[in-house]
Amino acid sequence: MTAPAPELTLPEELLLLALDPLRGKPHCAGRYLEYGTAGATLRELEFQGRVTGQGGRTRVVGPPAPSDPFLAQVLGSLSDPGVGGFAGGVDTTHWIRRTAPHVEELCLEHLVRRSVLRRETHRLLGLLPYHRHPAADPALTLAVRDRFTAAEAAGFPDPRSRALAALVSAIGLSGTVSRGGLRDRWAMRGLVDQDWAAEAVHRNVRRDRANRNRRMRYSSGGGSSGGD
């Protein structure tokens, strides 16, 4: 098995699992990956003893300024004076929804600066620019996937691998990265409810799906009937 690359944070591992190493296109909905990256960042900060997640809220509890500049910037956004409101901390689901695009962009920029990913600019219809992030070294993506496969085969035996599996399932990525069958993917889905950050991610995913289904019903005329 290929040795895993060192010093990858949880959001970085999630991005490398989710992005096609050659085309740089996500294997799941882009908005869902943003949610997942934000949730993974909170869990990484928790693993480092900087935050805690409880009762639907994220609170800063540890020393400031992680050595990783990306994590330090996100932690600063959580500990700004007055950000917590009456109950202390921030509402995890709301924070993920509000900051997800910015957090993912920060993480992608950090990976590009470290030469883990490359940034390619394309144009939609020749006009609107958008970015793709292929792997600078596809072997690194393979190493991350090998590690995930090994953890899956072992039943995700440690808290970090369970957190990653829960986030993978929460954003609808398990069908792409899982090497097991339906039972294994259902086991990963069960991990979502046990992980505070993945649960908040999945809550936002469900909300987006419900909004999309509602729009589809109305666009097809399903919303024109009377009430009950």
Side-chain angles (χ1 to χ4, degrees), residues 16 21 111-112 114-118 133-141:
L16 290 180
L111 287 168
V112 170
R114 293 172 59 199
S115 299
V116 175
L117 297 177
R118 295 183 291 109
H133 294 88
D137 180 6
L140 182 57
T141 296

Side-chain angles (χ1 to χ4, degrees), residues 82-146:
V83 76
F86 177 78
V90 297
D91 181 287
T92 304
T93 301
H94 177 69
W95 183 88
I96 287 173
R97 189 168 196 87
R98 178 173 55 85
T99 66
H102 179 60
V103 171
E104 187 197 58
E105 180 60 25
L106 287 175
C107 192
L108 288 169
E109 288 179 357
H110 189 52
L111 287 168
V112 170
R113 284 197 300 269
R114 293 172 59 199
S115 299
V116 175
L117 297 177
R118 295 183 291 109
R119 172 162 289 181
E120 296 179 349
T121 301
H122 302 267
R123 290 190 177 274
L124 181 64
L125 302 176
L127 297 174
L128 302 175
Y130 65 94
H131 299 301
R132 289 283 184 256
H133 294 88
D137 180 6
L140 182 57
T141 296
L142 178 61
V144 172
R145 293 192 175 189
D146 280 348

Side-chain angles (χ1 to χ4, degrees), residues 136-221:
D137 180 6
L140 182 57
T141 296
L142 178 61
V144 172
R145 293 192 175 189
D146 280 348
R147 180 163 68 180
F148 187 87
T149 299
E152 182 181 24
F156 300 111
D158 60 275
R160 191 177 187 87
S161 67
R162 287 195 293 274
L164 183 57
L167 289 158
V168 162
S169 181
I171 64 175
L173 190 62
S174 58
T176 299
V177 301
S178 172
R179 294 295 176 264
L182 182 60
R183 178 177 296 180
D184 290 330
R185 292 196 293 276
W186 272 110
M188 290 172 61
R189 174 61 187 89
L191 293 173
V192 174
D193 297 330
Q194 303 171 28
D195 187 285
W196 62 274
E199 186 179 26
V201 168
H202 196 235
R203 208 172 285 129
N204 281 304
V205 169
R206 290 199 310 266
R207 176 176 168 181
D208 282 6
R209 287 173 177 164
N211 289 340
R212 182 188 61 195
N213 292 338
R214 192 176 300 113
R215 287 193 300 269
M216 290 175 63
R217 286 198 301 271
Y218 275 96
S219 66
S220 64

